Amino acid sequence: MSAAGPSRDSKASPGGGEDAQAPGVGADGFQAALLRKSRWRPWEFAVWAVAFVLPLAVPSHALMINEIAIVALFAMSLDLILGYTGIVSLGHAGFFGLGAYTAALFAKHVMPDPTVGLLAAIVVSGLLGAVASFTILRGSDLTRLMVTLGTALLLLELANKLDWLTGGADGLQGVVMGPVLGLFDFDLYGRTAAWYSISVALLLFLLMRRLVQSPFGATLKAVRDNRLRAMAIGIPVIARLAVIYTVAAAIAGAAGGLLAQTTGFASLDVLAFDRSADVMLMLVIGGVGWLYGGIAGAIVFKLLQDTLSTVTPQYWMFWIGLILVLLVLVGRDRLLRPWTWFGSRGSARS
């Protein structure tokens, strides 16, 4: 098993999941399969219920919960293009950072309403994604990797040079946010921020879930598995790539906007390469082609980062790197079952 693992949608058939067999079973069977996949499982309700209860149950960790919700949303946005479409990106932080600066500047110079500022961040990031989508339509995976990375680096340098607007290396300070929906003020403990971020993450998760489990999502998986075959059967590949890249950019911008609004600060760090690399590692840990993989990866990565940086402040990256190496060598499923690591029986089962 590879580090990223096979996608949850690619196990049913060689062509890329149950959706790839849809033409053989007819339109009615195809729609029925999508409806079955779109139904919520009981454990999903439990996951989101626990998420909303946590800021109240452990108020001392509300700020950490808020950060996890934000990076989980960011990871899910990357999974839309990586796991469901097969586009590898090392510059996804460009959209995240643009959303953060847009929300911060909107609150500072236009109005402090968080919801309106978040919408502004989504729109601006989506527009950049629509423009940048033309750069990933041609070339190989390596070409797209370099182009996406270059886009993020250009935005980073622009934010650094336009210090009269962004604050440059000192960051954009003095961002004061109004109450959420005019009712809920941001508190010092971070509980309002956590509930706000979890609520936005849930709303956008519902949107992404509906998108990937629709006929549109099935065509994305067809493009991921074999672009030439998808073009041959009449799927508008270029249009699909442009749309999903725009949507992913807009959702990444929402995550960045949440970070700026809940921290009251935006700096060059939101555009740094490290942020793009971290979100890629989250998907490696949680798995691609499954939205909950981004959530699981974000939780594990942030908890590891917080714990290891407390125990060994200077060498915490070494331990995270070691865990990732084990993940690649052993596999995600076997890593959770140490008794299968050694011996012929363990090898047979894996």
Side-chain angles (χ1 to χ4, degrees):
M1 181 176 180
S2 64
S7 68
R8 297 292 177 114
D9 300 299
S10 62
K11 293 181 180 179
S13 70
E18 297 174 1
D19 300 324
Q21 296 179 348
V25 298
D28 292 339
F30 176 62
Q31 293 291 342
L34 289 178
L35 286 174
R36 284 195 302 271
K37 292 179 65 178
S38 64
R39 291 184 186 134
W40 277 60
R41 277 68 172 176
W43 64 266
E44 295 184 78
F45 291 101
V47 166
W48 289 103
V50 168
F52 279 101
V53 169
L54 277 177
L56 191 61
V58 283
S60 59
H61 293 82
L63 292 174
M64 171 64 72
I65 295 167
N66 172 63
E67 188 175 356
I68 289 175
I70 291 171
V71 296
L73 180 61
F74 186 30
M76 287 188 287
S77 72
L78 179 62
D79 197 28
L80 282 181
I81 59 174
L82 176 61
Y84 287 93
T85 319
I87 300 173
V88 183
S89 173
L90 274 181
H92 210 54
F95 308 116
F96 182 89
L98 182 62
Y101 274 106
T102 300
L105 290 169
F106 190 89
K108 190 171 184 179
H109 299 294
V110 183
M111 62 184 300
D113 188 290
T115 53
V116 180
L118 187 64
L119 288 175
I122 291 173
V123 170
V124 172
S125 299
L127 289 175
L128 177 63
V131 174
S133 66
F134 294 102
T135 65
I136 54 96
L137 298 178
R138 295 177 178 272
S140 62
D141 290 338
L142 180 60
T143 304
R144 297 189 196 99
L145 203 67
M146 293 298 101
V147 169
T148 54
L149 178 59
T151 302
L153 293 177
L154 285 173
L155 290 174
L156 174 64
E157 189 60 23
L158 278 175
N160 186 36
K161 294 298 183 182
L162 300 177
D163 53 358
W164 57 271
L165 179 65
T166 64
D170 295 328
L172 187 62
Q173 305 177 29
V175 179
V176 179
M177 301 305 304
V180 180
L181 300 176
L183 299 172
F184 307 102
D185 291 310
F186 287 98
D187 58 287
L188 294 176
Y189 299 101
R191 283 180 293 185
T192 300
W195 280 319
Y196 174 51
S197 297
I198 294 171
S199 299
V200 173
L202 175 58
L203 289 174
L204 293 177
F205 170 81
L206 293 174
L207 172 65
M208 289 184 281
R209 181 190 175 94
R210 182 70 184 90
L211 185 67
V212 300
Q213 293 179 351
S214 67
F216 177 86
T219 61
L220 292 180
K221 297 163 196 171
V223 173
R224 175 197 65 193
D225 294 333
N226 194 316
R227 182 181 295 194
L228 292 178
R229 191 191 330 178
M231 295 176 66
I233 63 176
I235 295 176
V237 172
I238 292 178
R240 291 292 189 269
L241 292 177
V243 170
I244 197 61
Y245 199 78
T246 302
V247 172
I251 295 174
L258 287 173
L259 182 66
Q261 291 178 340
T262 55
T263 60
F265 183 72
S267 66
L268 297 179
D269 174 67
V270 296
L271 290 163
F273 169 75
D274 293 351
R275 197 167 290 273
S276 293
D278 286 349
V279 74
M280 186 74 73
L281 293 179
M282 293 173 199
L283 289 182
V284 169
I285 294 172
V288 297
W290 185 49
L291 292 177
Y292 281 106
I295 298 175
I299 294 172
V300 172
F301 182 83
K302 294 305 295 184
L303 290 178
L304 280 175
Q305 185 183 55
D306 182 66
T307 303
L308 294 176
S309 62
T310 301
V311 177
T312 57
Q314 294 180 328
Y315 305 108
W316 65 272
M317 280 298 294
F318 167 80
W319 296 109
I320 289 183
L322 180 61
I323 292 171
L324 289 173
V325 170
L326 287 174
L327 185 64
V328 171
L329 294 178
V330 178
R332 188 184 304 102
D333 294 334
R334 293 183 64 200
L335 190 63
L336 299 176
R337 298 179 298 164
W339 59 88
T340 65
W341 293 4
F342 308 101
S344 58
R345 291 181 62 186
S347 301
R349 290 180 184 177
S350 63

